[in-house]
Amino acid sequence: MSEETIDTNLLGEQIVSVLKTIYDPEIPVDIYELGLIYDVMVSEDSEVKILMTLTSPNCPVAESLPKEVEEKVQSIKGIRSAFVEITFDPPWTKDMMSEEAMLELGML
């Protein structure tokens, strides 16, 4: 692997690790386990696009949470840029949470 070759799988794992440090302020579970992250795409140019949703369209952190995600992902060594796209299709439901999240919230 030359120095110019990017390991997108490794970057993807690093991105997921960072996403697991970001919490929804209303729910004590990280946004990844909550199921708010729909997709993470890493280009060979080290540009990252994250497709995510919020628990509701009028979520109090609708402005700040996507910015926090972009800033934290962009701080990963080797990432050139990060862009977050918010979608409500499909709308978030509790069914999207991981078992870990449900256990944390006492739903299992």
Side-chain angles (χ1 to χ4, degrees), residues 43-76:
S43 77
E44 291 185 7
D45 294 333
S46 299
E47 294 169 342
V48 178
K49 181 178 177 188
I50 297 170
L51 185 62
M52 68 176 286
T53 194
L54 302 169
T55 52
S56 73
N58 50 2
C59 176
V61 291
E63 294 290 318
S64 61
L65 193 60
K67 283 187 177 74
E68 181 182 357
V69 171
E70 284 178 353
E71 287 169 5
K72 287 194 173 176
V73 169
Q74 200 158 331
S75 73
I76 297 170

Short mmCIF file of all heavy atoms in Angstrom, two decimals, residues 43-76:
data_model
loop_
_atom_site.label_atom_id
_atom_site.label_comp_id
_atom_site.label_asym_id
_atom_site.label_seq_id
_atom_site.Cartn_x
_atom_site.Cartn_y
_atom_site.Cartn_z
N SER A 43 -14.83 8.82 0.35
CA SER A 43 -14.30 8.77 -1.01
C SER A 43 -12.81 8.48 -0.96
O SER A 43 -12.17 8.59 0.10
CB SER A 43 -14.54 10.11 -1.72
OG SER A 43 -13.60 11.08 -1.27
N GLU A 44 -12.25 8.13 -2.09
CA GLU A 44 -10.81 7.88 -2.16
C GLU A 44 -10.00 9.16 -1.98
O GLU A 44 -8.80 9.12 -1.79
CB GLU A 44 -10.47 7.16 -3.46
CG GLU A 44 -11.01 5.75 -3.45
CD GLU A 44 -10.61 4.93 -4.67
OE1 GLU A 44 -9.80 5.42 -5.47
OE2 GLU A 44 -11.12 3.81 -4.79
N ASP A 45 -10.69 10.31 -2.03
CA ASP A 45 -10.03 11.59 -1.77
C ASP A 45 -10.12 11.99 -0.31
O ASP A 45 -9.88 13.15 0.05
CB ASP A 45 -10.67 12.70 -2.62
CG ASP A 45 -10.42 12.50 -4.10
OD1 ASP A 45 -9.40 11.88 -4.45
OD2 ASP A 45 -11.25 12.95 -4.91
N SER A 46 -10.54 11.05 0.55
CA SER A 46 -10.69 11.29 2.00
C SER A 46 -11.76 12.31 2.33
O SER A 46 -11.67 13.04 3.31
CB SER A 46 -9.36 11.73 2.62
OG SER A 46 -8.41 10.74 2.45
N GLU A 47 -12.76 12.38 1.47
CA GLU A 47 -13.90 13.25 1.75
C GLU A 47 -15.01 12.37 2.29
O GLU A 47 -15.28 11.30 1.76
CB GLU A 47 -14.32 13.99 0.48
CG GLU A 47 -13.25 14.96 0.03
CD GLU A 47 -13.51 15.53 -1.36
OE1 GLU A 47 -14.31 14.96 -2.12
OE2 GLU A 47 -12.88 16.55 -1.67
N VAL A 48 -15.63 12.82 3.37
CA VAL A 48 -16.63 12.02 4.07
C VAL A 48 -18.00 12.68 3.94
O VAL A 48 -18.13 13.89 4.12
CB VAL A 48 -16.27 11.88 5.56
CG1 VAL A 48 -17.33 11.08 6.30
CG2 VAL A 48 -14.91 11.23 5.71
N LYS A 49 -18.99 11.86 3.64
CA LYS A 49 -20.38 12.33 3.65
C LYS A 49 -21.14 11.42 4.60
O LYS A 49 -21.05 10.19 4.50
CB LYS A 49 -21.00 12.27 2.26
CG LYS A 49 -22.44 12.77 2.26
CD LYS A 49 -23.06 12.77 0.89
CE LYS A 49 -24.50 13.21 0.97
NZ LYS A 49 -25.20 13.05 -0.31
N ILE A 50 -21.84 12.03 5.52
CA ILE A 50 -22.62 11.28 6.50
C ILE A 50 -24.09 11.63 6.31
O ILE A 50 -24.45 12.81 6.32
CB ILE A 50 -22.16 11.62 7.93
CG1 ILE A 50 -20.70 11.19 8.10
CG2 ILE A 50 -23.07 10.95 8.97
CD1 ILE A 50 -20.05 11.67 9.35
N LEU A 51 -24.88 10.60 6.13
CA LEU A 51 -26.33 10.77 6.03
C LEU A 51 -26.90 10.41 7.38
O LEU A 51 -26.70 9.30 7.87
CB LEU A 51 -26.89 9.86 4.93
CG LEU A 51 -28.38 10.01 4.63
CD1 LEU A 51 -28.72 11.41 4.11
CD2 LEU A 51 -28.81 8.96 3.62
N MET A 52 -27.55 11.38 8.01
CA MET A 52 -28.09 11.11 9.34
C MET A 52 -29.46 11.75 9.50
O MET A 52 -29.89 12.53 8.65
CB MET A 52 -27.14 11.61 10.43
CG MET A 52 -27.00 13.12 10.53
SD MET A 52 -25.95 13.65 11.92
CE MET A 52 -27.04 13.37 13.31
N THR A 53 -30.11 11.39 10.57
CA THR A 53 -31.41 11.96 10.89
C THR A 53 -31.37 12.47 12.32
O THR A 53 -30.35 12.37 13.00
CB THR A 53 -32.53 10.90 10.70
OG1 THR A 53 -33.78 11.57 10.71
CG2 THR A 53 -32.48 9.83 11.77
N LEU A 54 -32.46 13.04 12.75
CA LEU A 54 -32.62 13.49 14.13
C LEU A 54 -33.82 12.77 14.69
O LEU A 54 -34.65 12.23 13.94
CB LEU A 54 -32.83 15.01 14.16
CG LEU A 54 -31.71 15.84 13.52
CD1 LEU A 54 -32.15 17.29 13.35
CD2 LEU A 54 -30.44 15.75 14.34
N THR A 55 -33.95 12.76 16.01
CA THR A 55 -35.08 12.05 16.61
C THR A 55 -36.41 12.68 16.21
O THR A 55 -37.42 12.00 16.16
CB THR A 55 -34.96 11.98 18.14
OG1 THR A 55 -34.73 13.29 18.64
CG2 THR A 55 -33.83 11.05 18.55
N SER A 56 -36.39 13.98 15.91
CA SER A 56 -37.58 14.65 15.40
C SER A 56 -37.16 15.89 14.62
O SER A 56 -36.09 16.45 14.88
CB SER A 56 -38.53 15.05 16.54
OG SER A 56 -38.01 16.15 17.25
N PRO A 57 -38.00 16.34 13.66
CA PRO A 57 -37.63 17.52 12.87
C PRO A 57 -37.42 18.78 13.71
O PRO A 57 -36.65 19.64 13.35
CB PRO A 57 -38.82 17.70 11.92
CG PRO A 57 -39.43 16.34 11.83
CD PRO A 57 -39.21 15.71 13.18
N ASN A 58 -38.11 18.89 14.84
CA ASN A 58 -37.93 20.08 15.68
C ASN A 58 -37.04 19.79 16.89
O ASN A 58 -37.18 20.37 17.95
CB ASN A 58 -39.28 20.66 16.12
CG ASN A 58 -40.21 19.61 16.69
OD1 ASN A 58 -39.85 18.45 16.80
ND2 ASN A 58 -41.41 20.02 17.05
N CYS A 59 -36.09 18.88 16.70
CA CYS A 59 -35.11 18.52 17.71
C CYS A 59 -34.34 19.79 18.13
O CYS A 59 -33.93 20.57 17.27
CB CYS A 59 -34.16 17.49 17.10
SG CYS A 59 -32.82 16.98 18.15
N PRO A 60 -34.15 20.00 19.44
CA PRO A 60 -33.47 21.23 19.88
C PRO A 60 -32.02 21.37 19.39
O PRO A 60 -31.49 22.46 19.36
CB PRO A 60 -33.51 21.14 21.41
CG PRO A 60 -34.11 19.84 21.76
CD PRO A 60 -34.62 19.18 20.53
N VAL A 61 -31.40 20.26 18.99
CA VAL A 61 -30.01 20.33 18.52
C VAL A 61 -29.92 20.20 17.00
O VAL A 61 -28.88 19.86 16.47
CB VAL A 61 -29.12 19.28 19.21
CG1 VAL A 61 -28.93 19.60 20.67
CG2 VAL A 61 -29.66 17.88 19.01
N ALA A 62 -31.01 20.52 16.31
CA ALA A 62 -31.04 20.38 14.84
C ALA A 62 -29.93 21.18 14.17
O ALA A 62 -29.43 20.80 13.12
CB ALA A 62 -32.40 20.81 14.31
N GLU A 63 -29.54 22.31 14.76
CA GLU A 63 -28.47 23.12 14.20
C GLU A 63 -27.09 22.65 14.66
O GLU A 63 -26.17 22.51 13.87
CB GLU A 63 -28.64 24.59 14.63
CG GLU A 63 -29.88 25.26 14.06
CD GLU A 63 -29.77 25.49 12.57
OE1 GLU A 63 -28.69 25.89 12.11
OE2 GLU A 63 -30.77 25.25 11.88
N SER A 64 -26.95 22.41 15.96
CA SER A 64 -25.63 22.14 16.53
C SER A 64 -25.13 20.72 16.33
O SER A 64 -23.93 20.50 16.15
CB SER A 64 -25.62 22.50 18.02
OG SER A 64 -26.55 21.70 18.72
N LEU A 65 -26.01 19.73 16.36
CA LEU A 65 -25.56 18.33 16.27
C LEU A 65 -24.87 18.02 14.93
O LEU A 65 -23.77 17.47 14.94
CB LEU A 65 -26.73 17.38 16.54
CG LEU A 65 -26.35 15.92 16.77
CD1 LEU A 65 -25.41 15.76 17.97
CD2 LEU A 65 -27.60 15.08 16.99
N PRO A 66 -25.45 18.38 13.78
CA PRO A 66 -24.74 18.11 12.52
C PRO A 66 -23.38 18.81 12.45
O PRO A 66 -22.41 18.24 11.96
CB PRO A 66 -25.68 18.66 11.44
CG PRO A 66 -27.03 18.65 12.09
CD PRO A 66 -26.79 18.92 13.54
N LYS A 67 -23.28 20.03 12.99
CA LYS A 67 -22.00 20.75 13.00
C LYS A 67 -20.99 20.02 13.87
O LYS A 67 -19.82 19.90 13.52
CB LYS A 67 -22.20 22.18 13.52
CG LYS A 67 -22.80 23.13 12.51
CD LYS A 67 -22.81 24.55 13.05
CE LYS A 67 -23.35 25.55 12.06
NZ LYS A 67 -24.77 25.53 11.85
N GLU A 68 -21.44 19.52 15.03
CA GLU A 68 -20.55 18.77 15.92
C GLU A 68 -20.04 17.50 15.22
O GLU A 68 -18.86 17.18 15.30
CB GLU A 68 -21.28 18.40 17.21
CG GLU A 68 -20.41 17.64 18.19
CD GLU A 68 -21.13 17.22 19.47
OE1 GLU A 68 -22.32 17.57 19.65
OE2 GLU A 68 -20.49 16.54 20.28
N VAL A 69 -20.93 16.82 14.51
CA VAL A 69 -20.54 15.60 13.77
C VAL A 69 -19.48 15.96 12.73
O VAL A 69 -18.44 15.32 12.64
CB VAL A 69 -21.77 14.92 13.13
CG1 VAL A 69 -21.34 13.81 12.18
CG2 VAL A 69 -22.71 14.38 14.21
N GLU A 70 -19.75 17.00 11.94
CA GLU A 70 -18.79 17.42 10.90
C GLU A 70 -17.43 17.76 11.52
O GLU A 70 -16.39 17.32 11.04
CB GLU A 70 -19.32 18.64 10.13
CG GLU A 70 -20.38 18.29 9.13
CD GLU A 70 -20.95 19.51 8.40
OE1 GLU A 70 -20.61 20.67 8.75
OE2 GLU A 70 -21.76 19.29 7.48
N GLU A 71 -17.43 18.57 12.59
CA GLU A 71 -16.18 19.00 13.19
C GLU A 71 -15.38 17.83 13.75
O GLU A 71 -14.17 17.74 13.56
CB GLU A 71 -16.46 20.03 14.29
CG GLU A 71 -16.88 21.38 13.73
CD GLU A 71 -17.42 22.33 14.79
OE1 GLU A 71 -17.38 21.99 16.00
OE2 GLU A 71 -17.90 23.41 14.40
N LYS A 72 -16.06 16.93 14.46
CA LYS A 72 -15.35 15.80 15.07
C LYS A 72 -14.82 14.84 14.01
O LYS A 72 -13.71 14.33 14.13
CB LYS A 72 -16.23 15.09 16.09
CG LYS A 72 -16.40 15.91 17.35
CD LYS A 72 -16.98 15.11 18.48
CE LYS A 72 -16.95 15.93 19.76
NZ LYS A 72 -17.58 15.23 20.87
N VAL A 73 -15.60 14.59 12.96
CA VAL A 73 -15.14 13.68 11.90
C VAL A 73 -13.99 14.32 11.13
O VAL A 73 -13.01 13.67 10.81
CB VAL A 73 -16.31 13.28 10.97
CG1 VAL A 73 -15.80 12.57 9.73
CG2 VAL A 73 -17.30 12.39 11.72
N GLN A 74 -14.10 15.61 10.88
CA GLN A 74 -13.05 16.30 10.12
C GLN A 74 -11.74 16.37 10.92
O GLN A 74 -10.66 16.51 10.33
CB GLN A 74 -13.51 17.71 9.76
CG GLN A 74 -12.73 18.29 8.60
CD GLN A 74 -13.49 19.39 7.90
OE1 GLN A 74 -14.71 19.40 7.86
NE2 GLN A 74 -12.75 20.31 7.33
N SER A 75 -11.81 16.21 12.24
CA SER A 75 -10.59 16.26 13.06
C SER A 75 -9.79 14.95 12.99
O SER A 75 -8.67 14.89 13.46
CB SER A 75 -10.94 16.57 14.51
OG SER A 75 -11.55 15.45 15.13
N ILE A 76 -10.36 13.91 12.38
CA ILE A 76 -9.64 12.63 12.24
C ILE A 76 -8.50 12.82 11.25
O ILE A 76 -8.70 13.36 10.16
CB ILE A 76 -10.59 11.52 11.75
CG1 ILE A 76 -11.71 11.27 12.78
CG2 ILE A 76 -9.82 10.23 11.47
CD1 ILE A 76 -12.81 10.36 12.26
#
